[in-house]
Amino acid sequence: MENPMKRLILLALMIISCSFVFADTLTLKSGHPDSYVVKKGDTLWDISEHFLNDPWRWPKLWGANPQIANPHLIYPGDRLTLVFIDGEPRLVVKPHIRKSPEGRIMPKDGAIPAVDLSLIRPFLVQNRVVDGDWFDEQPMVMGGESDSKYHIASDIIYVQDQLTLGDKFGVYAQGREFVSKEEGEPLGREVILTASGRVIESGPISKVRLLSNFRETKAGYRVLPIEDDSLLSAYFMPRAAKLETPATVIASDKKNREMGKLDVVYIDKGNEDGVEAGHVFSIFREGVDIVINGDGQPVLPQDRSTYESLLTGISSDNAVKMPDIYRGKLMVFKVFDRTSLALIVVNERPVRVDDKLIQPNSLLASD
């Protein structure tokens, strides 16, 4: 009995090992080019879509190339050539050189980013998710020198707190309250930056001159220190998210019922769950339960009677769960304590609130 058991264990280990190898193997897209000249407006994701079935894996495509140790240093005019190193596809770069002592051309726009930063820059600066009770304790806008109900850049507003003279603050409007789908626990409150300002007079009621505005400011808004990292350039190294339990789409930024490619969504995992900027998730719609009626026939959810729906809620004995349906992929770009903001980067079907997010797996035929 010992030898057959050893063989079974060895076979299982070989299968697991092969699975990891295949999962980590880059798959080139059918009809891919042998080279590509970088154009203005390209992103690393866009370029990889010319070569890979899984464009989010561009770091591996360029990882073995010492010339692209930092893939953000790729510029319009550079020629990327597909080569194979130890059997693995890699891109190498030939910089666009000007025949003069100036050397390499450095475009004013700089190196190309991972994704189109114009899509997410407003969220990097403006959106935060904070503890609701904490937010309610922050200094409040009481009004302003202007008689107007709303205030814009260059206006002076009154803030109910003794703020430090010369300090810079952000003014935030209250947004939505997020709760977890399963436990119903609070995940945080969405707050939106409406303006930035600098303290010009300190006292029990401080005066703040608005320096810029993203939308109008009014009494009742709260004043918070501006996040340092919200003003940094956003460069992301995409990699597969690894969570013990699936995450969930909890909201659309635009409050739409359905979302598509390049839309921004909130998910219900954050720093406390190990989520980081650059994490990529596959999006799935949970499969429906098909009820088997008294005649042994399947009944679709929309065709169920009240009695059949009641039975399904009480017991799963008369229901068969269908497979989850693949929707696309998203990439996290800003992380809070218990939530994150993510950009939908691949979209095969509409994405909705409550869709499930799991680790991307290239071995899935539908993924």
Side-chain angles (χ1 to χ4, degrees):
M1 292 294 291
E2 184 179 354
N3 288 338
M5 180 60 70
K6 285 184 176 179
R7 286 197 294 270
L8 284 174
I9 294 173
L10 179 61
L11 178 61
L13 291 173
M14 290 175 64
I15 291 173
I16 294 172
S17 176
C18 289
S19 297
F20 280 118
V21 170
F22 288 128
D24 198 41
T25 300
L26 289 178
T27 304
L28 291 173
K29 180 179 288 187
S30 176
H32 64 81
D34 294 324
S35 64
Y36 179 82
V37 177
V38 180
K39 302 187 298 292
K40 183 178 180 180
D42 276 342
T43 67
L44 302 181
W45 200 292
D46 296 333
I47 293 171
S48 295
E49 283 186 327
H50 293 288
F51 297 94
L52 296 178
N53 285 330
D54 294 317
W56 67 272
R57 302 184 70 200
W58 57 256
K60 184 171 177 60
L61 183 65
W62 293 336
N65 178 14
Q67 301 175 75
I68 318 182
N70 179 357
H72 306 134
L73 300 181
I74 298 174
Y75 297 86
D78 287 352
R79 177 177 291 277
L80 303 174
T81 302
L82 185 67
V83 300
F84 286 84
I85 300 175
D86 296 330
E88 285 287 317
R90 296 288 184 264
L91 283 179
V92 295
V93 65
K94 182 178 180 181
H96 184 44
I97 303 295
R98 183 191 305 226
K99 293 183 178 180
S100 74
E102 295 178 11
R104 183 173 181 170
I105 297 174
M106 303 294 285
K108 291 182 179 179
D109 294 338
I112 64 170
V115 295
D116 185 353
L117 297 183
S118 65
L119 297 171
I120 61 175
R121 186 173 285 113
F123 302 98
L124 290 170
V125 176
Q126 297 176 32
N127 290 52
R128 295 172 66 175
V129 178
V130 299
D131 179 79
D133 292 337
W134 173 84
F135 184 71
D136 291 338
E137 295 173 355
Q138 301 311 300
M140 184 189 301
V141 175
M142 304 299 292
E145 288 187 349
S146 168
D147 292 334
S148 173
K149 182 178 179 181
Y150 299 98
H151 307 284
I152 58 175
S154 78
D155 285 353
I156 294 175
I157 59 172
Y158 301 138
V159 178
Q160 190 182 24
D161 197 15
Q162 186 152 354
L163 305 177
T164 302
L165 186 66
D167 277 4
K168 190 175 179 181
F169 288 89
V171 182
Y172 287 83
Q174 177 175 309
R176 294 165 287 183
E177 299 281 351
F178 296 135
V179 297
S180 61
K181 178 184 176 183
E182 300 298 330
E183 299 85 6
E185 295 181 354
L187 298 174
R189 181 182 299 174
E190 176 190 42
V191 296
I192 311 298
L193 182 66
T194 65
S196 65
R198 191 177 301 279
V199 181
I200 61 171
E201 185 175 313
S202 179
I205 301 294
S206 297
K207 290 185 179 181
V208 175
R209 184 183 298 278
L210 297 182
L211 304 175
S212 63
N213 65 280
F214 302 100
R215 57 191 75 187
E216 294 172 321
T217 292
K218 66 177 183 178
Y221 288 1
R222 301 286 174 165
V223 172
L224 310 176
I226 292 180
E227 298 174 300
D228 292 336
D229 62 351
S230 68
L231 303 178
L232 298 177
S233 297
Y235 291 111
F236 304 97
M237 188 67 69
R239 57 206 181 280
K242 297 179 181 179
L243 296 179
E244 294 183 1
T245 58
T248 304
V249 175
I250 56 173
S252 158
D253 166 66
K254 298 176 182 176
K255 305 180 183 179
N256 294 338
R257 182 173 179 270
E258 294 185 338
M259 294 80 78
K261 185 175 181 179
L262 305 184
D263 281 339
V264 171
V265 299
Y266 286 95
I267 71 172
D268 66 348
K269 303 290 184 184
N271 274 321
E272 295 180 4
D273 308 287
V275 174
E276 299 175 358
H279 274 176
V280 175
F281 291 86
S282 288
I283 311 168
F284 283 85
R285 176 76 45 77
E286 190 165 358
V288 299
D289 290 328
I290 303 296
V291 173
I292 306 299
N293 65 16
D295 298 325
Q297 298 298 309
V299 181
L300 296 174
Q302 61 267 30
D303 298 327
R304 290 180 196 160
S305 66
T306 303
Y307 176 70
E308 288 166 337
S309 297
L310 180 62
L311 283 181
T312 304
I314 296 174
S315 171
S316 59
D317 293 343
N318 68 327
V320 180
K321 190 179 186 305
M322 297 298 101
D324 294 341
I325 303 171
Y326 176 65
R327 296 284 160 178
K329 288 186 175 69
L330 57 74
M331 185 187 74
V332 173
F333 63 85
K334 188 171 184 180
V335 183
F336 309 104
D337 288 342
R338 303 191 66 190
T339 62
S340 300
L341 278 166
L343 180 72
I344 298 173
V345 288
V346 177
N347 178 224
E348 293 192 1
R349 298 178 179 89
V351 176
R352 295 179 183 173
V353 170
D354 292 338
D355 279 355
K356 182 167 62 176
L357 307 173
I358 64 173
Q359 178 179 348
N361 186 349
S362 300
L363 296 179
L364 294 175
S366 61
D367 197 1

